[in-house]
Amino acid sequence: GDSVTQMEGPVTLSEEAFLTINCTYTATGYPSLFWYVQYPGEGLQLLLKATKADDKGSNKGFEATYRKETTSFHLEKGSVQVSDSAVYFCALSPYRDDKIIFGKGTRLHILP
Amino acid sequence: EAGVTQFPSHSVIEKGQTVTLRCDPISGHDNLYWYRRVMGKEIKFLLHFVKESKQDESGMPNNRFLAERTGGTYSTLKVQPAELEDSGVYFCASSQGFRADTEAFFGQGTRLTVV
């Protein structure tokens, strides 16, 4: 069945460092791809999404590109801030399906 | 505008007891979803309501779980009787349309601990 695999955490970086969180997926057809973020004490929030191959989702300085050839959707940010500390979930929604399939999540710690 | 609200935020119950979780979606959202994250594992889909009807309940783990959505508004998820493996965080989400076109808004979750 469809699945998402993302890098294990926790990931600890210093402020202003470059961030990459790897995500690959397995799916039939053409899924939509997402990154969700959960800040401490809050619910899941959609960070960005891409609905077709080569689309780039972006928000709050984060970017991810839908790569069908490598079945990947890696999350990147050029300069992280302490406020980016959170748990990040890569996810997909199968073609013509409403449910979301999540990865295990990656906890990110940014040190000042 | 109020977001998705879940009650309670935390619940600790003994094995064999019953617990009812509640979700109030964003007003006007026809789609309501339940998800669960067991410690250290993925957030997994449980079921999907469209208004008061169950559209997809393929993720419900067993018949100890019962979800309802009265009048297409709020939803409850009852676990009876609770088992240790039911511990985890239960998330509710709501949306207006289909996933690719609209955003699903999540609640803060209910952390359930069965002891």
Side-chain angles (χ1 to χ4, degrees):
Chain A
D2 296 355
S3 66
V4 174
T5 303
Q6 63 182 104
M7 62 190 290
E8 298 280 332
V11 173
T12 302
L13 295 173
S14 296
E15 202 166 24
E16 299 183 2
F18 184 86
L19 169 71
T20 299
I21 301 178
N22 290 334
C23 172
T24 57
Y25 68 90
T26 300
T28 55
Y30 303 93
S32 295
L33 302 177
F34 310 90
W35 277 98
Y36 280 84
V37 59
Q38 185 177 22
Y39 298 103
E42 299 184 15
L44 289 165
Q45 301 175 24
L46 179 64
L47 180 59
L48 52 85
K49 70 177 183 182
T51 58
K52 61 182 186 294
D54 299 325
D55 268 2
K56 177 185 284 188
S58 62
N59 186 24
K60 298 183 180 180
F62 291 89
E63 293 183 338
T65 302
Y66 190 143
R67 301 287 189 199
K68 192 162 178 64
E69 64 276 13
T70 55
T71 62
S72 65
F73 193 55
H74 304 320
L75 183 68
E76 296 183 336
K77 187 174 185 181
S79 177
V80 293
Q81 305 300 313
V82 172
S83 57
D84 294 327
S85 298
V87 182
Y88 292 81
F89 295 90
C90 186
L92 68 83
S93 186
Y95 184 58
R96 291 187 177 176
D97 195 338
D98 283 350
K99 67 169 66 74
I100 301 173
I101 297 170
F102 289 89
K104 289 187 177 182
T106 302
R107 184 174 296 277
L108 175 66
H109 293 291
I110 306 300
L111 303 176
Chain B
E1 179 182 337
V4 176
T5 309
Q6 294 187 242
F7 304 97
S9 56
H10 294 85
S11 180
V12 181
I13 62 170
E14 293 184 350
K15 177 182 172 180
Q17 290 187 321
T18 298
V19 63
T20 300
L21 314 181
R22 173 170 168 146
C23 170
D24 286 51
I26 292 173
S27 178
H29 282 191
D30 288 341
N31 296 279
L32 187 149
Y33 309 82
W34 283 99
Y35 291 83
R36 175 175 75 169
R37 187 185 192 197
V38 174
M39 184 63 69
K41 297 195 174 180
E42 297 89 343
I43 300 170
K44 292 216 168 180
F45 168 82
L46 296 179
L47 87 159
H48 171 204
F49 284 99
V50 178
K51 297 185 180 179
E52 68 276 8
S53 299
K54 292 177 184 175
Q55 180 78 11
D56 180 356
E57 52 184 330
S58 61
M60 294 289 265
N62 52 61
N63 59 10
R64 295 185 293 103
F65 289 75
L66 175 64
E68 296 179 325
R69 190 178 183 193
T70 307
T73 55
Y74 70 91
S75 175
T76 57
L77 180 64
K78 180 188 288 188
V79 184
Q80 179 182 28
E83 299 289 346
L84 298 179
E85 64 264 25
D86 301 331
S87 296
V89 181
Y90 290 75
F91 292 100
C92 175
S94 71
S95 71
Q96 282 187 311
F98 294 112
R99 180 69 64 252
D101 296 321
T102 62
E103 178 178 350
F105 294 86
F106 282 78
Q108 292 185 328
T110 294
R111 182 175 296 277
L112 174 64
T113 303
V114 183
V115 297

